[in-house]
Amino acid sequence: MSDAPQRKPLPFVANFAAGAIAGISEILTFYPLDVVKTRMQLERGRSQQGVLGSFRTIIKEEGFGRLYRGLVPPLLMEAPKRATKFAANDFWGKQFLTLTGEKKMTQNIAIATGCAAGATESFVVVPFELVKIKLQDKSSTFAGPMDVVRKVIRNDGLLGLYAGMEATMWRHLWWNGGYFGCIFQVRALLPKPETNKARLLNDLAAGTVGGLVGTAINTPFDVVKSRIQGASKVPGVVPKYNWTYPALVTIFREEGPAALYKGFVPKVLRLAPGGGVLLLVVEFTLNVFRQALGPPYI
C-alpha cells in the first residue's frame, strides 16, 4: 500500500478563478459565431445563407464591429455563472452520491449532476442572455445593454428580464447532461495520461466531444429560447412562442424539422472546440495555481 500523501483539493476561489478565466477566454475567441448563430435562429422560414454568407453579409452591411455587438452581457455574466456552476456541481454531486450510496462519481451520477446544475445555472444567466439576444438581433435599435434593461423593465416589469426562463432551463439541462456525461465516458476510453501534457490533451479531446454531443442535444431548445427572447411583445396579443415544447411543435409544423437546428453549424463550431478550450484552460490554470501554492496542492 502506497504511503504517498493525497493531493489536497484547491480552495474554491482557485476553482472559481480558473472557471472565469476559461469562460472569458472562450467568449472572446468564439463570440462572432454566437452572433451568426442567433441571426440564423431568429430568421423565419428557410435559411437564405450559411455561416460564411452570414459573416459576409454582417460585415458588408453592418461593419466588422457588429460581430461583437452584445459582448458585454456574457462577459458580465461569466463570474456569477461560474460561481453558480461550481457551487451547483459540488452541491448536486454530493446529493446524488449520498442518494445512491456510491463512493465516487459514475457516468450516470455525472449526467444527473450536470442536468441539475444546468437547471440551477439557468436562474442566473437568463437576464444576461435576454439582453444579449436583443442586441444581436439585426433589427435591434437598442443603444446598449442598459438601454435594453431599462426598456424591458419599463414595458414588462422586472419579470420581463426572465422571458425564456423555461427554455433556458431545458437548454442548460440537456447541454450539461450531455457534456458532463460524455466527458466522463471519453476520459474512461482514452489511455491513462502519464504526464501533464497528455492529461491536457485528454481534457481537450473529452471537452470537444462533450461540446459536440451537448450541442446536438440542446440546439432545438436554443432555437426556441432565441425566438422567445428575440420577440417584441405587443400589448393584448399572445406571443407566438411562449412555452418550450409547444414552440418546438409550432416551429416543426410551420418550418420543418431542419428549422429546429438553425444555427447548428456556428453553434457546434463554437461549442465543440469551445468545450475543449474551456476544459483545457481550466486544467491549465488549476495547474498554475497548484504550482504557485506548492504542497500539499501539487
Side-chain angles (χ1 to χ4, degrees):
M1 191 171 177
S2 174
D3 292 328
Q6 288 276 346
R7 184 170 69 179
K8 186 178 179 180
L10 285 166
F12 173 80
V13 67
N15 286 287
F16 169 70
I21 291 168
I24 290 170
S25 300
E26 189 272 338
I27 290 169
L28 293 174
T29 305
F30 296 104
Y31 187 77
L33 284 166
D34 190 64
V35 174
V36 170
K37 177 213 74 172
T38 300
R39 293 290 184 88
M40 295 175 76
Q41 289 180 341
L42 292 175
E43 187 180 12
R44 304 296 194 272
R46 186 179 178 84
S47 295
Q48 300 300 310
Q49 51 192 350
V51 178
L52 293 178
S54 296
F55 270 116
R56 282 195 296 267
T57 300
I58 292 171
I59 293 171
K60 182 180 178 181
E61 296 181 359
E62 304 170 56
F64 183 81
R66 195 74 175 193
L67 292 172
Y68 283 89
R69 182 169 168 81
L71 177 64
V72 173
L75 289 178
L76 292 177
M77 172 177 69
E78 201 56 35
K81 175 183 174 182
R82 292 296 155 189
T84 304
K85 183 184 285 289
F86 278 108
N89 270 314
D90 182 62
F91 173 80
W92 289 112
K94 289 176 180 175
Q95 294 300 312
F96 286 122
L97 284 172
T98 302
L99 187 65
T100 59
E102 296 284 350
K103 298 298 182 185
K104 65 178 186 177
M105 191 67 67
T106 65
Q107 184 180 11
N108 288 336
I109 295 176
I111 293 172
T113 299
C115 287
T120 305
E121 180 189 350
S122 64
F123 286 91
V124 175
V125 306
V126 172
F128 297 95
E129 285 283 331
L130 178 83
V131 174
K132 183 195 74 169
I133 293 293
K134 290 194 177 295
L135 289 172
Q136 288 178 340
D137 191 352
K138 184 177 181 178
S139 62
S140 174
T141 58
F142 294 104
M146 290 311 298
D147 188 38
V148 177
V149 173
R150 279 193 298 268
K151 288 179 178 176
V152 168
I153 293 176
R154 185 180 65 203
N155 296 330
D156 306 316
L158 278 172
L159 288 179
L161 293 173
Y162 279 85
M165 173 70 205
E166 184 223 3
T168 304
M169 183 189 73
W170 286 114
R171 184 188 74 158
H172 280 251
L173 187 151
W174 288 114
W175 160 261
N176 281 15
Y179 181 66
F180 287 110
C182 206
I183 284 177
F184 188 93
Q185 186 64 33
V186 173
R187 277 175 167 166
L189 293 173
L190 290 170
K192 187 175 181 180
E194 301 294 337
T195 63
N196 277 338
K197 182 180 178 181
R199 181 169 51 79
L200 289 174
L201 289 174
N202 278 12
D203 288 336
L204 179 62
T208 299
V209 175
L212 177 60
V213 172
T215 302
I217 293 172
N218 89 335
T219 294
F221 301 96
D222 195 39
V223 172
V224 170
K225 183 194 79 71
S226 294
R227 295 283 180 95
I228 292 172
Q229 293 184 328
S232 298
K233 289 189 176 181
V234 179
V237 178
V238 177
K240 183 175 184 179
Y241 307 109
N242 205 344
W243 297 100
T244 303
Y245 286 94
L248 288 171
V249 174
T250 299
I251 294 170
F252 181 91
R253 187 177 62 244
E254 294 183 354
E255 302 175 51
L260 294 173
Y261 277 87
K262 281 187 173 183
F264 176 76
V265 174
K267 186 176 168 71
V268 82
L269 284 175
R270 177 192 178 186
L271 293 180
V277 169
L278 274 173
L279 208 56
L280 184 66
V281 175
V282 164
E283 291 300 326
F284 176 80
T285 308
L286 289 177
N287 192 51
V288 170
F289 280 129
R290 289 189 184 100
Q291 297 299 323
L293 293 171
Y297 299 104
I298 298 178

